[in-house]
DNA sequence: CTCCAGGCTGAGC
DNA sequence: GCTCAGCATGGA
């Protein structure tokens, strides 16, 4: 029996260590390696080191509880628990999705510990701008270089990690400077979009106040942002979970599962939104994770 | 060598 | 409106 409801058991261990749990429907492998984020790394000891926004933390997972270090209990409560979406009722969502059909049930079971993160909207948008026609390992390399070169330093465990650079900082670069991250032709998209956001042409902080379709249309005015990137930005920042950033893997799986539901992206999105409603984005993420790991290996 | 990777833009219909 | 080459880079 899985825990439901919004209460997350929480213990302050002092010395900058916090323990959370028991938590069900969570697994850092599913959550951090499903392709929604690019700044979590597993250490040799099995811990996870992550940077999000202007914060960093170390996470340990024993299969039942999370132990967080490098963050104050207050930060854990107000930032990391919402970031990891630990208060949401995944058992209920998984049950609903699984009931919708057998293959979805298999995909849900396969990625049972997957949670949709609530990442910073700018960081999410920029990293998925880089993701286009690109592979996950190289996306990580590029994002890493961007942060090290242009991000604010964050003292962490006696060393330094770097925040994702702000739109203002990136907007001040020229194409030559930005090329150190080796993003190729995406440099131009990143530069122009940084400038558009820095100029206030699109206000990312206002997206959550807009209905899904208007939020997406707003993002589509940015250079290099298409439907896929806009949907990923909305979904993985937690702004709109009905966003359905269908890609070739899910297209392949969906077309196999539901022949005739539509071979185009738009009709598949409509199909998914009708079938899974506000959970369409989560449904796609289970499918994506399932298809990718089953067919390519992690 | 070719093909692919969490696509998008701009040109030509 | 629609289709589609071209796009930088690096790994398989």
């Amino acid at each position: 029996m899985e825990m439901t409801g919004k209460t997350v058991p929480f213990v302050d261990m002092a010395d900058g260590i916090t323990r959370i749990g028991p938590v069900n429907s969570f697994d850092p492998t599913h959550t951090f390696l499903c392709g929604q984020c690019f700044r979590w790394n597993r250490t040799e000891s099995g811990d996870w080191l992550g940077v999000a926004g202007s914060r960093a933390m170390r996470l340990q997972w024993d299969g039942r509880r999370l132990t967080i270090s490098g963050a104050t209990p207050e930060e854990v409560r107000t930032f990391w628990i919402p970031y990891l979406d630990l208060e949401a009722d995944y058992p209920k969502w998984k049950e609903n999705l699984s009931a919708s059909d057998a293959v979805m049930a298999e995909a849900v079971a396969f990625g049972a510990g997957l949670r949709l993160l609530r990442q910073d909207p700018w960081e999410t948008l920029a990293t998925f701008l880089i993701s286009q026609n690109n592979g996950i390992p190289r996306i990580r390399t590029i994002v890493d270089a961007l942060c090290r070169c242009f991000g604010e330093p964050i003292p962490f465990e006696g060393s330094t990690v770097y925040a994702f650079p702000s739109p203002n900082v990136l907007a001040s670069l020229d194409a030559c400077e930005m090329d150190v991250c080796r993003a190729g032709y995406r440099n131009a998209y990143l530069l122009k979009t940084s400038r558009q956001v820095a100029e206030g042409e699109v206000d990312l902080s206002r997206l959550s106040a807009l209905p899904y379709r208007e939020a997406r249309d707003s993002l589509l005015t940015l250079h290099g942002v298409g439907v896929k990137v806009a949907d990923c930005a909305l979904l993985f920042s937690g702004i709109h979970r009905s966003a359905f950033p269908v890609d070739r893997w899910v297209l392949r799986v969906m077309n196999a599962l539901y022949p005739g539901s539509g071979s185009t992206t738009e009709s598949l999105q409509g199909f998914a939104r009708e079938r899974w409603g506000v959970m369409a984005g989560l449904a796609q993420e289970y499918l994506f994770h399932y298809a990718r790991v089953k067919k390519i290996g992690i």
Side-chain angles (χ1 to χ4, degrees):
Chain A
M1 169 121 65
E2 299 214 12
M3 177 188 72
T4 62
K6 300 205 77 171
T7 308
V8 181
F10 183 98
V11 181
D12 176 359
M13 306 291 287
D15 292 333
I17 295 178
T18 313
R19 187 158 292 162
I20 303 169
V23 173
N24 292 300
S25 292
F26 177 76
D27 185 326
T29 304
H30 298 164
T31 298
F32 297 141
L33 300 183
C34 70
Q36 65 175 318
C37 59
F38 306 98
R39 302 208 68 199
W40 284 90
N41 293 296
R42 184 160 38 185
T43 68
E44 292 129 9
S45 64
D47 293 357
W48 293 83
L49 296 182
V51 186
S54 57
R55 304 162 197 270
M57 70 108 145
R58 174 183 291 267
L59 183 155
Q60 293 172 52
W61 172 248
D62 65 4
R64 206 163 153 267
R65 296 194 286 182
L66 297 93
T67 303
I68 294 177
S69 52
T72 67
E74 182 62 15
E75 285 177 315
V76 172
R77 204 185 296 275
T78 63
F79 182 82
W80 290 110
I81 287 179
Y83 171 86
L84 295 168
D85 204 27
L86 293 179
E87 294 173 322
D89 195 350
Y90 279 72
K92 191 181 81 185
W93 293 342
K94 291 195 297 184
E95 197 177 322
N96 291 342
L97 288 176
S98 298
S100 71
D101 75 56
V103 184
M104 178 58 75
E106 196 177 334
V108 168
F110 187 79
L114 193 161
R115 282 178 184 251
L116 291 177
L117 300 174
R118 298 181 181 278
Q119 303 179 74
D120 175 74
W122 166 245
E123 179 172 345
T124 315
L125 176 65
T127 54
F128 276 89
L129 199 50
I130 292 165
S131 81
Q132 64 179 247
N133 199 27
N134 211 342
I136 292 178
R138 198 165 82 94
I139 298 166
R140 300 175 67 93
T141 304
I142 293 169
V143 171
D144 215 56
L146 263 182
C147 295
R148 269 206 313 277
C149 295
F150 309 117
E152 289 292 320
I154 304 168
F156 183 72
E157 295 186 346
S159 178
T160 305
V161 296
Y162 294 89
F164 191 87
S166 69
N168 289 358
V169 167
L170 294 184
S172 71
L173 304 176
D174 61 37
C176 188
E177 294 173 290
M178 181 164 282
D179 193 48
V180 298
C181 70
R182 310 300 291 158
Y185 67 90
R186 306 168 194 81
N187 277 338
Y189 299 159
L190 199 48
L191 271 177
K192 180 73 186 298
T193 283
S194 298
R195 287 168 186 163
Q196 287 176 280
V197 171
E199 295 295 319
E201 202 174 308
V202 172
D203 184 356
L204 298 180
S205 70
R206 219 178 71 82
L207 291 177
S208 57
L210 299 175
Y212 160 65
R213 189 60 67 143
E214 288 178 36
R216 194 186 75 168
D217 288 344
S218 172
L219 289 175
L220 289 177
T221 65
L222 297 167
H223 188 55
V225 176
V227 172
K228 171 72 190 303
V229 171
D231 271 352
C232 283
L234 291 172
L235 180 60
F236 301 134
S237 58
I239 293 175
H240 282 293
R241 293 195 163 171
S242 56
F244 189 80
V246 63
D247 58 33
R248 68 193 73 205
W249 280 107
V250 174
L251 267 174
R252 212 175 297 175
V253 174
M254 296 276 286
N255 280 327
L257 294 184
Y258 313 109
S261 68
S263 55
T264 69
T265 299
E266 279 303 324
S267 58
L268 266 185
Q269 290 185 333
F271 174 82
R273 200 156 290 112
E274 185 180 332
R275 190 175 183 102
W276 296 306
V278 295
M279 288 296 99
L282 179 59
Q284 129 132 356
E285 211 45 27
Y286 286 122
L287 278 176
F288 175 73
H289 179 247
Y290 177 76
R292 205 180 100 258
V293 176
K294 284 289 246 196
K295 293 179 184 172
I296 309 183
I298 211 161

